[in-house]
Amino acid sequence: MTSVSRAIRDVLLTGDKTAKVFATRKLARDWRMGRLEFTFDCSMPERPEWPDELELRLPRDMPRRGKGGSEKGRIALWHALAHIEFVAIDLALDMAGRFGESMGQVFVSDFLSVAADEAMHFALLERKLDSLDSHYGALPAHDGLWSAAQDTANDVAARLAIVPMVLEARGLDVTPATLERVRAQGDENGAKILQRILDDEIRHVAYGAKHFRAVCAERGENPPETWRKLVKTHFSGGLKPPFNDSARSAAGLSRDFYAGIA
């Protein structure tokens, strides 16, 4: 059987957007069906492959996006969301492939299921862009998300603290307002897509919080205190309210984690 690490690496190095979606979902299915061996015989790439046409910019060089009221604004909104979900595929894959050997099979199962969810989210958003006569890669995208992975490549606690427990948790905060704005514009299809993403992201943050607590327990550390230290070290953006406390709580991220550093 193929090792799970080699299968993950192959998908990370798949640059075509459609091929990556199908390969990710097949990978998650093969793992679930027991077709991949729990063996780690290759390293993860420093960067995944992304579509050749995608123009990457530093976050500070990205044009400001409006509220999505105009056609141009709507395309910019859905393109930005598609980019987040596309990168999230690789963030989840890298999590499983880079740290799975030490963290165990449940960890791999959790984050391969996250990757499959993100692939499905991206497919929905790509279809939404298509309905607006656009596509992923039509606009520039920022390269800040993957820098979080590079900065936390050597510590699973730092990776869990930043990716699911900061970046994905931020989605819990901002998605409801975006959803309501989209619904107010009469876009019920778009609202349904955002609701599906929000529901799934609660589970993704919960996976991160669960495994973060397990790492802290193994190290004899206090989870909220350790999380705050890691955020101060590895996340320069700052945590800004308002917070979706109910969604965060449902994901196991109680206020004692983030209230003190917001």
Side-chain angles (χ1 to χ4, degrees):
M1 288 194 294
T2 302
S3 71
V4 68
S5 65
R6 195 162 297 277
I8 291 170
R9 180 182 172 87
D10 287 347
V11 181
L12 284 167
L13 294 176
T14 299
D16 179 82
K17 57 190 177 184
T18 303
K20 189 184 287 281
V21 166
F22 281 105
T24 299
R25 299 181 75 172
K26 181 180 185 301
L27 166 62
R29 185 169 59 251
D30 285 347
W31 170 254
R32 192 170 60 249
M33 299 296 291
R35 298 169 184 157
L36 297 170
E37 189 174 2
F38 184 67
T39 303
F40 292 79
D41 55 2
C42 65
S43 61
M44 296 301 105
E46 184 176 342
R47 285 193 67 101
E49 291 291 329
W50 292 345
D52 290 338
E53 68 171 324
L54 185 64
E55 179 191 348
L56 295 172
R57 297 183 183 178
L58 293 172
R60 66 172 181 267
D61 295 332
M62 289 293 295
R64 292 184 62 84
R65 197 175 71 240
K67 297 291 186 180
S70 65
E71 185 77 2
K72 182 179 178 181
R74 284 192 291 272
I75 291 171
L77 168 66
W78 294 110
H79 193 279
L81 294 173
H83 181 62
I84 290 169
E85 298 299 319
F86 188 79
V87 179
I89 299 171
D90 288 328
L91 287 171
L93 291 173
D94 187 79
M95 181 84 83
R98 188 173 299 273
F99 303 111
E101 184 174 24
S102 61
M103 292 296 293
Q105 295 191 36
V106 172
F107 182 91
V108 172
S109 296
D110 285 348
F111 284 100
L112 289 186
S113 75
V114 170
D117 286 346
E118 308 293 18
M120 183 269 292
H121 297 165
F122 174 76
L124 291 173
L125 292 165
E126 174 78 340
R127 193 180 308 160
K128 183 67 175 177
L129 283 169
D130 184 65
S131 74
L132 296 170
D133 294 323
S134 189
H135 63 277
Y136 180 55
L139 298 175
H142 74 78
D143 199 25
L145 291 172
W146 192 255
S147 65
Q150 292 173 316
D151 189 45
T152 58
N154 298 316
D155 181 11
V156 66
R159 177 68 65 86
L160 289 165
I162 300 305
V163 175
M165 298 174 73
V166 170
L167 299 180
E168 289 205 76
R170 186 59 182 157
L172 304 182
D173 302 331
V174 302
T175 301
T178 305
L179 190 158
E180 290 307 315
R181 190 163 65 245
V182 165
R183 179 171 281 144
Q185 293 167 356
D187 185 359
E188 191 58 35
N189 168 261
K192 287 179 179 178
I193 292 172
L194 292 174
Q195 186 64 59
R196 175 59 187 268
I197 292 173
L198 178 61
D199 292 343
D200 289 342
E201 298 295 351
I202 292 174
R203 186 173 68 259
H204 300 173
V205 176
Y207 286 152
K210 174 183 73 173
H211 290 291
F212 182 80
R213 284 189 169 90
V215 172
C216 288
E218 186 176 328
R219 297 179 180 180
E221 298 173 348
N222 176 272
E225 183 179 306
T226 299
W227 183 80
R228 288 192 292 269
K229 289 178 181 177
L230 290 168
V231 170
K232 288 179 180 178
T233 300
H234 296 283
F235 187 70
S236 60
L239 300 184
K240 301 178 179 64
F243 300 113
N244 186 345
D245 291 330
S246 61
R248 284 171 171 259
S249 178
L253 195 57
S254 52
R255 284 189 60 84
D256 58 334
F257 275 85
Y258 57 89
I261 62 171

